[in-house]
Amino acid sequence: MPAVSKIAIKNQIFDALVQLPDFDLTKEQLEDFLSKSNFQMNKTVKKSNPDRKTSAYHCFLSENKEGTIQERRAQWKILNDDQTSEGYLKYKGIADEINSSKNIPSKDELKAAKSKKIKSEQDDLKKQIEQLKLENSKLKSTSDSESESEPEPETEPETVVETEPEPETVVETETETVVETKTEPETVVQEVKNEEEEEEEEEEEEEEEEEEEEEEEEIEKIKPKYNGKKPESPLNNYKEWKKNILGLSINDSIKRADLVSYKETDDYDNVTYEEGCPWHNYIQDNMII
């Protein structure tokens, strides 16, 4: 799962601080202090790159704008868990069509290109290894021929033979070292392949993080402003959630008689206000306080 964005972390901290009983600063004052500090928070809206690849997830969000972002993420997770389902293939097809119109290669095409590149590098490595083996074999053969053709000394050969074989020894050790470090092409090839796979995973993680941050920024731009009091109140969260369900504006109000009826329909009095409750923290998660 991608890491939580800086914007989301900052908002969670600020929201928690302003709800403390003895904390006197407002969220606006905290934002102002942050902007004057050395901590760099990117407040500029990223310009969308028309040539950037889109994803099935983005296509799903564009087509399904009803409900909270948490509900839409849960819906997408169900589709994404079964990538052979009709729903997932629908949005993947839309994304592939958009990317194709931009001449952006699909994920499968990118993988095929990387596989081709890896195979080419493997072939080059194997050729280099075979060439080194051939050179080593020739060098060793030449060395053996020279030592066989060397005439034996007539007088006192013992001392000369024992003290002067160093060139032959150096040749042997050097060539053997070359062969030893290069005679395992599978190991070298596997290392290259592993590096390519790690790079691919890092690129995918970076793309997911960028998509997550862009999504958070888009949400921040479209969130409505909550102008009421006590955003932590269960009743106020219920009212705002119900207005969204009914398609009412945030400036609309629900009549008292209607509110009583809605609460009975939604079993408000018997629902525990905790995580899992439909209106739990609705204001904090979906509105700007």
Side-chain angles (χ1 to χ4, degrees), residues 14 19 24 31 41 92 114 117 127 191 194 197 212 223 231 237 244 262 265 272 276:
F14 284 7
Q19 292 181 23
D24 298 330
E31 294 280 5
M41 176 65 71
K92 183 180 183 299
K114 285 191 175 182
K117 179 183 176 185
K127 289 178 181 178
E191 288 177 359
N194 290 342
E197 290 176 351
E212 191 77 11
K223 277 184 178 180
N237 277 276
N244 179 65
Y262 294 147
T265 302
T272 303

Side-chain angles (χ1 to χ4, degrees), residues 105-129:
S106 66
K107 187 175 288 187
D108 292 338
E109 290 172 334
L110 289 173
K111 286 184 178 179
K114 285 191 175 182
S115 297
K116 185 177 180 181
K117 179 183 176 185
I118 291 172
K119 188 177 184 308
S120 176
E121 291 176 348
Q122 290 174 350
D123 292 340
D124 289 341
L125 281 171
K126 288 178 181 178
K127 289 178 181 178
Q128 291 176 21
I129 291 168

Side-chain angles (χ1 to χ4, degrees), residues 122-148:
Q122 290 174 350
D123 292 340
D124 289 341
L125 281 171
K126 288 178 181 178
K127 289 178 181 178
Q128 291 176 21
I129 291 168
E130 292 301 323
Q131 183 65 29
L132 284 170
K133 284 183 178 180
L134 181 61
E135 291 176 0
N136 179 61
S137 177
K138 289 180 179 180
L139 185 60
K140 188 174 181 179
S141 176
T142 303
S143 175
D144 291 341
S145 299
E146 288 177 353
S147 85
E148 287 176 2

Side-chain angles (χ1 to χ4, degrees), residues 56 59 86-100:
C59 295
E86 182 179 348
Y88 176 84
L89 294 176
K90 169 188 174 183
Y91 295 108
K92 183 180 183 299
I94 295 174
D96 289 344
E97 186 175 346
I98 293 173
N99 293 330
S100 176

Side-chain angles (χ1 to χ4, degrees), residues 185-198:
E186 293 80 6
T187 302
V188 179
V189 167
Q190 187 60 42
E191 288 177 359
V192 173
K193 186 175 181 180
N194 290 342
E195 289 177 2
E196 293 286 346
E197 290 176 351
E198 288 176 4

Side-chain angles (χ1 to χ4, degrees), residues 62-73:
S62 298
E63 192 170 297
N64 299 271
K65 297 184 178 180
E66 294 183 359
T68 65
I69 189 62
Q70 288 82 3
E71 292 171 343
R72 291 154 69 195
R73 283 175 179 167

Side-chain angles (χ1 to χ4, degrees), residues 210-226:
E210 287 179 3
E211 288 178 359
E212 191 77 11
E213 288 189 3
E214 286 183 357
E215 178 189 329
E216 294 289 349
E217 290 176 359
E218 289 296 326
I219 292 170
E220 288 297 320
K221 290 192 293 183
I222 63 175
K223 277 184 178 180
K225 174 74 174 176
Y226 177 70

